[in-house]
Structure formats: structure tokens, C-alpha cells
């Protein structure tokens, strides 16, 4: 329908994503949408949330921007108001577009959660939101605005929504000129985004190839009993050996151990030792081997870490990408 505009609700934590929200607002205006949400609709109590629900009811699409903060928690539900907004939009059948920050990049401490319980709630919320069909990972504000531009245009083309249309007379010539200007600007933006996306895909492809081809030469030692000496003391002889194991094989075993749980470095070491073809108890010669393997898997965005302040232990778990790669490798495919 001619002159139809679509209202889009923008949901996120606020203080850590001010710049990102501003750029998303600009993108939506360029895409001929009506933004809602922003500073005027940041829920901090249940009364404000009831107002926000009414705004969401009037929206055609819902955008969720996830950073590294979980946000204010409702004392009634025990989850953040941002997550409550997301669940409400899903309940109302409003198309949801999710944009989650790449959790491997470094950002300032004030933009990250320090509360361990909130960190875990954010992890669960993030994993759930990324299951959405229209979900993307962003690295910086420019990357985010580009992906929002592509996603909102795709949503408008693929998911029919009521939209809004002006009920009074308008200057058609002026409107047509505005549309032409916006169309030209959008084409230029899409060209830039296509080029950037191609670069990202090339980098991702290179990383995946590196993962498949990576191998570790694992050096280890083991002891073999030699009986007892004349005084009855046990004798043993220590042997040194090595074995080549591919990184995908190591990841497959470690990821299977991480099934729905996070594990510590000792558990990862135990899994790696079990991969060594030796009938005796083995001892890894390189004390930093496990750390190097974990770091490489983290750089490939297959695993992430969480610090347990109470027990002073670093735990490791799978990212959404890691879960997919694990399942692709271990699940039995129908023939």
C-alpha cells in the first residue's frame, strides 16, 4: 500500500548502548520506519512496563539489541525488563529481530555485568534469543547499524504487517522525491554492507578451514612397573612419547563433555588425556597445552569462559556456534 510506514520497537539496556541505539534510530528513519522504544520507553519498574506493553502492541516489528549487560531485574518475575519485553513481543506474535554483540570482543568494564547471577541470566537469555530466525551477531556500532538496515528491509519484504498510513492529503511530488532520496541512500548503504559482509564471510571461512586443519603434537610421559627390587620396593620405568590429535577431534570430545554444563580446566585436561592411545596413566609434558587449546577454541568463537568468583575457578562452556558445530559433528544424520 502506498505511503505505508512501519512502527518498530527498539529494546535494549540503555546506558551501555546509547551510541548503538542512536545509530539504529537513524537506520530506521532512513528505512522509512517509525522508531519506538528509545529513551522515552526504558522500563525500570512494573508500572512503566505496563505502558511499554501498550506501545509494543502498536508496533509492526520488534528489535532486540543485546550487549554485555543484563539490565534491571523485575522483583516480580526475577528476569530483566528487557527480557520481559522480548517475551511479550513473542507472545503477541510480533516479528522479532535479534542483534547480539560478539561475546569474544573486548569492551570497557562499565559496559559489562559484574554480578555473577546476572551474567548467567544474560547467557541463558542470549542463547534463547539467538535461536530466532532473524538473529545476527555484531562487533561494533557500524556493523550493528548495517545489519539492522539489511534485516529490517528483509523483514518488510518477507513478513507482511499492517503498518501505518497517513489519513490526510499529502504532497505526492514531495513524498516521491523523499522516497527517491531514501532509496538512493539505501542502495549506497546496502552496497557498502554487501562489501563488508563479503569480507566477514571470507574471514569466517578462513577460520573454519584453520580449525579443520589444525593438529596438536601432544607430548606425554607414562610409567611402567618393573616389579620389585631385592628390598621389596616397587620399581618403575618412565617413558616419553607423543601423539598427534586434530583440534576438531579435541573439540568434539570436549564439547560432548560440555553437554548443557560448563566445565573447568582440569576436566578439559582429563578429556584430552583420554584421547591419547595409551593403556597407562599419562602426564602431559606441556603445562600450558590445555590453556592454548582453550584459547584457540575461544578465538574461533566455539567456547566462552565465565569466572566463578566464589570458588575462584574459570569455567568453560559452548557458544551458540559451538553448540551447532558440536551437533553437526556428533549427531547421527538420517540417510
Amino acid at each position: 500500500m502506498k505511503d505505508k510506514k512501519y512502527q518498530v520497537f527498539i529494546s535494549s539496556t540503555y546506558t551501555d548502548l546509547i551510541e548503538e541505539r542512536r545509530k539504529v534510530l537513524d537506520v530506521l528513519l532512513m528505512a522509512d520506519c517509525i522508531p519506538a522504544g528509545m529513551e522515552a520507553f526504558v522500563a525500570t519498574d512494573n508500572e512503566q512496563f505496563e505502558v511499554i506493553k501498550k506501545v509494543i502492541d502498536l508496533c509492526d516489528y520488534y528489535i532486540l539489541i543485546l550487549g554485555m549487560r543484563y539490565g534491571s531485574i523485575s522483583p516480580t518475575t526475577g528476569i530483566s525488563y528487557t527480557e520481559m519485553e522480548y517475551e511479550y513481543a513473542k507472545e503477541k506474535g510480533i516479528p522479532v529481530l535479534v542483534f547480539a554483540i560478539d561475546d569474544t570482543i573486548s569492551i570497557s568494564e562499565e559496559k559489562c555485568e559484574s554480578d555473577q547471577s546476572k551474567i548467567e541470566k544474560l547467557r541463558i537469555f542470549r542463547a534463547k534469543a539467538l535461536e530466532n530466525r532473524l538473529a545476527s551477531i555484531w562487533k561494533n556500532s557500524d556493523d550493528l547499524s548495517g545489519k539492522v538496515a539489511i534485516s529490517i528491509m528483509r523483514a518488510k519484504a518477507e513478513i507482511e504487517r499492517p503498518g501505518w498510513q497517513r489519513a490526510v492529503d499529502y504532497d505526492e511530488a514531495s513524498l516521491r522525491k523523499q522516497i527517491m532520496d531514501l532509496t538512493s541512500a539505501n542502495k549506497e548503504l546496502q552496497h557498502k554492507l554487501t562489501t563488508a559482509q563479503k569480507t566477514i564471510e571470507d574471514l569466517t571461512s578462513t577460520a573454519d578451514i584453520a580449525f579443520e586443519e589444525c593438529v596438536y603434537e601432544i607430548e606425554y610421559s607414562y610409567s611402567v612397573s618393573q616389579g620389585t627390587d631385592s628390598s621389596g620396593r616397587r620399581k618403575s620405568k618412565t617413558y616419553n612419547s607423543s601423539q598427534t590429535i586434530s583440534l576438531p577431534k579435541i573439540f568434539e570430545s570436549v564439547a560432548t563433555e560440555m553437554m548443557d554444563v560448563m566445565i573447568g580446566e582440569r576436566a578439559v585436561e582429563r578429556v584430552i588425556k583420554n584421547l591419547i592411545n595409551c593403556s597407562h596413566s599419562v602426564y602431559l609434558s606441556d603445562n600450558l597445552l590445555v590453556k592454548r587449546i582453550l584459547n584457540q577454541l575461544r578465538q574461533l568463537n566455539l567456547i566462552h569462559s565465565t569466572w566463578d568468583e566464589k570458588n575462584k575457578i574459570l569455567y568453560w562452556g559452548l557458544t551458540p556456534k559451538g553448540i551447532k558445530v558440536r551437533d553437526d559433528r556428533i549427531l547421527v544424520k538420517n540417510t
Side-chain angles (χ1 to χ4, degrees), residues 168-229:
V168 298
D169 293 336
Y170 56 86
D171 181 355
E172 183 172 352
S174 176
L175 180 60
R176 286 183 180 277
K177 183 179 185 306
Q178 291 180 35
I179 292 174
M180 290 175 64
D181 290 343
L182 288 172
T183 300
S184 176
N186 282 336
K187 285 183 178 179
E188 182 180 354
L189 179 60
Q190 287 183 352
H191 175 71
K192 292 179 180 179
L193 292 173
T194 300
T195 302
Q197 187 65 35
K198 179 64 168 60
T199 301
I200 293 172
E201 289 174 356
D202 290 343
L203 290 174
T204 303
S205 175
T206 301
D208 290 340
I209 293 173
F211 170 65
E212 293 295 337
E213 295 179 349
C214 182
V215 295
Y216 278 87
E217 184 73 16
I218 300 178
E219 298 180 350
Y220 62 94
S221 62
Y222 61 93
S223 297
V224 178
S225 175
Q226 302 290 313
T228 58
D229 58 19

Side-chain angles (χ1 to χ4, degrees), residues 139-157:
K139 295 180 180 295
N140 52 52
S141 58
D142 290 335
D143 186 31
L144 171 63
S145 59
K147 288 180 176 175
V148 169
I150 292 175
S151 295
I152 196 64
M153 297 299 291
R154 176 185 171 190
K156 288 166 61 177

Side-chain angles (χ1 to χ4, degrees), residues 2-3 24 27 29-30 49 68 87 95 116 119 128 170 215-216 226 242 280 303 328:
K2 188 168 64 174
D3 197 34
V24 169
V27 168
L29 291 172
M30 289 180 63
F49 181 67
M68 293 189 180
E87 293 294 349
Q116 188 62 40
I119 291 174
K128 174 176 61 177
Y170 56 86
V215 295
Y216 278 87
Q226 302 290 313
S242 65
H280 303 279
I303 62 174
D328 287 344

Side-chain angles (χ1 to χ4, degrees), residues 8 22 44 65 90 96 100 125 130 174 176 180-181 191 206 242 254 292 305 307 319 329:
V8 182
R22 183 186 65 77
T44 55
I65 306 172
K90 296 279 287 185
V96 173
F125 179 27
L130 284 174
S174 176
R176 286 183 180 277
M180 290 175 64
D181 290 343
H191 175 71
T206 301
S242 65
V254 171
R292 290 208 307 273
S305 60
W307 176 252
T319 63
R329 298 187 71 87

Side-chain angles (χ1 to χ4, degrees), residues 6-50:
Y6 296 91
Q7 186 158 305
V8 182
F9 191 92
I10 305 169
S11 178
S12 75
T13 50
Y14 175 59
T15 56
D16 57 318
L17 295 171
I18 293 176
E19 176 66 15
E20 289 77 5
R21 290 162 67 103
R22 183 186 65 77
K23 289 199 173 185
V24 169
L25 171 63
D26 292 341
V27 168
L28 292 177
L29 291 172
M30 289 180 63
D32 213 21
C33 294
I34 306 170
M38 305 311 290
E39 291 78 4
F41 300 105
V42 179
T44 55
D45 58 46
N46 290 334
E47 183 176 352
Q48 291 183 32
F49 181 67
E50 290 303 314

